[in-house]
Amino acid sequence: MSARAAKAVIRTGLLRVAWLSWGALTLLVLLGGLLLHEYYQAPLLPMMVRLLPLLLIVPALLASRPKGYFWLAFIGLLGAGQGAALLRLPVLWWLAGMEILAGLILAVTALCIARQLRRQGLDSVSRER
């Protein structure tokens, strides 16, 4: 297997992990908002505000630009921070742990993809010269 083919396989795997962790974080935010509404009678608006960045980043993911993946990493860190804030609630500690894990996986994967895209872009620029 050539180095180019190996990089393509790694990038495909990273993209798959990024989309899975994005979907998991989105579902966990939705589930967390509904459970907060059920147990603590919290309004649904905070859940919508937490979902907004996850939904707004989708066009950047489809464009495959490094800047979009850097923003996705930031959103993953925000998700992990929101999960850490949920740790204070004794009923939802299990959900908070899963949200922290999904956010951190999303952040690390997005940074790896952004780094790979940036290197690929720099390599193509140097080859054109």
Side-chain angles (χ1 to χ4, degrees):
M1 180 183 286
S2 69
R4 180 175 282 157
K7 286 181 184 180
V9 169
I10 291 170
R11 183 170 174 222
T12 304
L14 285 173
L15 285 170
R16 191 171 294 143
V17 171
W19 277 104
L20 286 173
S21 58
W22 174 85
L25 188 59
T26 302
L27 287 175
L28 289 169
V29 166
L30 185 63
L31 179 64
L34 294 174
L35 288 175
L36 282 172
H37 180 69
E38 179 72 26
Y39 289 126
Y40 297 103
Q41 287 74 37
L44 292 176
L45 184 63
M47 176 189 61
M48 298 299 177
V49 170
R50 291 177 62 198
L51 277 175
L52 190 63
L54 288 166
L55 297 177
L56 289 177
I57 198 69
V58 171
L61 290 176
L62 296 174
S64 291
R65 285 185 283 195
K67 187 186 278 188
Y69 283 99
F70 281 123
W71 278 109
L72 183 63
F74 177 70
I75 291 170
L77 289 176
L78 284 177
Q82 291 169 351
L86 282 178
L87 281 173
R88 296 181 305 147
L89 304 174
V91 177
L92 299 177
W93 64 270
W94 58 272
L95 182 73
M98 291 189 332
E99 197 169 324
I100 291 169
L101 184 63
L104 290 177
I105 290 172
L106 181 61
V108 169
T109 306
L111 283 175
C112 289
I113 293 170
R115 182 175 178 227
Q116 201 173 47
L117 287 173
R118 181 153 293 180
R119 279 188 178 175
Q120 181 182 353
L122 291 176
D123 289 345
S124 65
V125 168
S126 64
R127 286 182 190 153
E128 290 175 2
R129 290 183 185 177

